[in-house]
Amino acid sequence: MEIQAAKYLAAGIAIGLGAIGPGIGEGIAASKALEAIGRNPEASGRITPLMFVSMAITESTAIYALVISLIILFG
Amino acid sequence: MGLNISLAPEVLFYIGSWPITNTFFWFFWVWLALLIGSFILRKNLKLVPGKVQNLIEMLISAAYDFTESIIGQGKKAKRIFPLVATQFFFVLTCNLLAYIPGQAAVTLNNGEKMVPLFRSIVSDYGLVFMMTMITVITIQVVAIIVSGPFSYLKKFLNFANPLKFFLGLMDLIGEIAKIVSLSFRLFGNIFAGEVLGAVMLFLAPFFVPLPFLFLGLLTAVVQAFVFAVLTLVFISMASEIDEGAESKAGA
Amino acid sequence: MDRLIQALGLDVRIMIAQFINFSILVWVLWRFAYRPVLNMLEERQKKIEKGVADAQAAETRLQTTTEESKEIISQARKEAGIIIEEAKKKAEGRYQEIVDKAQVDIKKQIDKEKGAIAQEKDRLIADVKKEISSLLIISLEKFLQEKMDSEADKKIIEKIVKDLA
C-alpha cells in the first residue's frame, strides 16, 4: 500500500471513529436536557444554553480526532 | 463542474507582498460595517428608542443578562462583557453572512486559477486561532491577577510530589488543548458546514441541500453562541480562586 | 507540520493584522455600542422606576386627599346636623314660649274683660235696684198717700224692699 493511500485511510478512520463517541454523548446530553425540559418547562431558558455548552464540550473529542486526522493528512 | 474544496482561504490578490485572502477581504468589510454601525448607533442613541435601537438594545441587554447569569453580577461581568459580546456578535454576523444566497457562483481569477470571491469568514483558521488566542490570553491574565503569579506558576510546575507534578503537567496540556479545541470547534463546524453545503449542492442542486442549509443555519447561530459562552465559562472559572484546579483541565 | 500550516493557509502577518483588528473591534464596540446602550438602559430603568414611584406617591396623595375631603364633608354634615337640631330645639322652645305668653296674655285679657263685665253688671244691678226701689217707693207712696201715715209706712216699705233684695 502506498504511504499516501494509508494516510488518507488513517485520516478517514480517525475522524470516523472519533465521531462515534461524541455522537452518542451529544445524543445523551440532548435527550437528558429534553427530559428535564419536559419535566420542568419553566426551566427551559436555563437548560437550553447549558445543553449547548455541554454538547460543545462533549464535541471536543471529535475535534481532537479532526485535528489528528488533519495532522495525519498534512503533517 | 468539479468540486473544489480548500482547507485554506483562497488568495484573491496581493497588496505588495501581503496576500489578501477572500476571508480577510470580507472580514475587513464586516469589521468596517460593525465599526461604522456602532458609531452611528452611538450618535443616534435616544432615551425613547426607535425600532432599530429597540432591537439592538434587546440583543445587548439579553447578552448582558446572560453574561451576568454565568459570571455573576457586578464588575466582573462588566469587564468581560465586551470581549464575549463582540465574539458572539462578530461570529454571528460572519456566519449569517455566508447564508446570503448566490455567493458560491461568484468567482475571481487571481492569476493562477479561479477562486470563489465569497467564503464564510470564520472558516479561516488564522482568524479563529487569533480570536482563540485573545480568549486564552485573557484567561491567563485573569488567572494571574486573581491567584497571583507564584501560585499561578505553582499550578503547572509543582515539585512537591510526583502526583502533583504529573497533574500540573496535565493542566499545562489542558491549557493547550483548550486552544486547540476552542479554535477547531468553531473552524471545524463552520468549515464542515460549508463543505457539506458544497457537496450537497454538487450532488443534487435542487431541494436536497435545503435541510442541510437549515442545519447549517442552526450551527451558525449555535457555534457563535458556544464560542462566546465557552470563553465566558473559561474566564469565570479562571476568575474564581479554585481549590480543585486539577479537575477543570481539558474541554 | 509545515504542510499543515500551509494547508490551513496560515500567514503570520495576516494573523497579527486580524488580532489587532479584532482588538480594535472589541474596544470600539465597547466604547460606542455596549457601554452607551447599557448606560441608556440603566438610565431608562431609573427613569421608569422614578415614574412608577411618582405615580404611586401621587396615587397615595390622591387617596389621602380624598379621605380627608370625605372626613371633612362628614364632619361638616355632622356639624350641620347639630346646628339644625339646635335651631329646631330653640325654635320649638321659642314657639312654646310665644304660645305660652299668648295664652297667658289672652287669659289676662279675658280675666280683665270678665272683671269689667262683672263690675258693669254689678253696677247695672245696683242701678236697677236703686231705680226699682225708688220707682217702687214712688209708686207705693202715690198709692199709699191717701191711706197711710207716711213716716211709719216708709219704714215698712223700706224694710220690705230690703227683704226683697
Side-chain angles (χ1 to χ4, degrees), chain C residues 14-58:
Chain C
I14 293 282
M15 278 160 73
I16 290 169
Q18 277 168 337
F19 184 92
I20 292 167
N21 284 347
F22 192 77
S23 307
I24 291 171
L25 187 67
V26 170
W27 185 80
V28 167
L29 281 183
W30 171 237
R31 181 72 182 71
F32 290 96
Y34 305 142
R35 204 167 62 182
V37 166
L38 289 175
N39 285 346
M40 176 74 61
L41 285 175
E42 209 166 300
E43 194 184 329
R44 189 178 306 146
Q45 194 176 353
K46 258 180 209 157
K47 209 157 253 187
I48 287 169
E49 269 168 15
K50 192 172 163 275
V52 168
D54 281 357
Q56 227 155 22

Side-chain angles (χ1 to χ4, degrees), chain A residues 45-46 48-50 52-61 63-64 66-67 70 74, chain B residues 7 66 69 177-178 180-181 184-185 187-189 222-223 225-226 229-230 233 250-251:
Chain A
R46 287 277 304 150
T48 316
L50 286 178
F52 279 126
V53 171
S54 54
M55 277 167 87
I57 290 171
T58 315
E59 222 173 32
S60 297
T61 330
I63 285 153
Y64 298 144
L66 171 71
V67 172
L70 283 178
F74 300 106
Chain B
L7 207 55
F66 187 78
S69 81
K178 210 184 268 175
V180 173
S181 72
F184 266 99
R185 174 175 299 116
F187 169 73
N189 271 297
V222 166
Q223 288 307 318
F225 176 74
V226 161
V229 169
L230 281 182
V233 169

Side-chain angles (χ1 to χ4, degrees), chain B residues 84 151 220:
Chain B
V84 175
S151 54

Side-chain angles (χ1 to χ4, degrees), chain B residues 49-195:
Chain B
K51 265 179 192 158
V52 178
Q53 195 192 331
N54 221 338
L55 181 72
I56 292 167
E57 273 175 5
M58 212 176 67
L59 281 173
I60 290 179
S61 76
Y64 190 72
D65 287 347
F66 187 78
T67 310
E68 274 191 334
S69 81
I70 286 196
I71 205 166
Q73 291 183 333
K75 223 171 181 179
K76 254 202 285 190
K78 225 165 217 167
R79 284 258 172 83
I80 212 63
F81 178 68
L83 175 63
V84 175
T86 307
Q87 280 177 344
F88 176 69
F89 288 124
F90 176 70
V91 174
L92 188 68
T93 313
C94 292
N95 286 352
L96 292 181
L97 205 65
Y99 286 92
I100 297 171
Q103 294 180 359
V106 183
T107 54
L108 190 80
N109 193 345
N110 71 343
E112 295 165 29
K113 55 180 178 176
M114 300 294 281
V115 292
L117 183 59
F118 297 97
R119 184 185 163 101
S120 187
I121 298 166
V122 186
S123 66
D124 172 2
Y125 186 67
L127 170 65
V128 180
F129 182 73
M130 280 343 273
M131 280 164 67
T132 314
M133 282 317 288
I134 291 176
T135 297
V136 170
I137 289 168
T138 314
I139 293 168
Q140 304 309 328
V141 168
V142 166
I144 290 171
I145 287 171
V146 167
S147 60
F150 289 108
S151 54
Y152 172 75
L153 220 63
K154 216 171 157 190
K155 204 174 87 183
F156 299 113
L157 295 170
N158 198 332
F159 299 106
N161 57 43
L163 180 67
K164 283 220 169 137
F165 179 71
F166 180 69
L167 286 175
L169 220 59
M170 292 305 280
D171 256 2
L172 203 60
I173 292 170
E175 294 295 327
I176 294 164
K178 210 184 268 175
I179 303 174
V180 173
S181 72
L182 199 56
S183 57
F184 266 99
R185 174 175 299 116
L186 183 56
F187 169 73
N189 271 297
I190 300 306
F191 180 69
E194 279 243 307
V195 170

Side-chain angles (χ1 to χ4, degrees), chain B residues 200-211:
Chain B
M200 283 300 150
L201 212 63
F202 178 65
L203 291 179
F206 295 106
F207 304 117
V208 179
L210 270 179

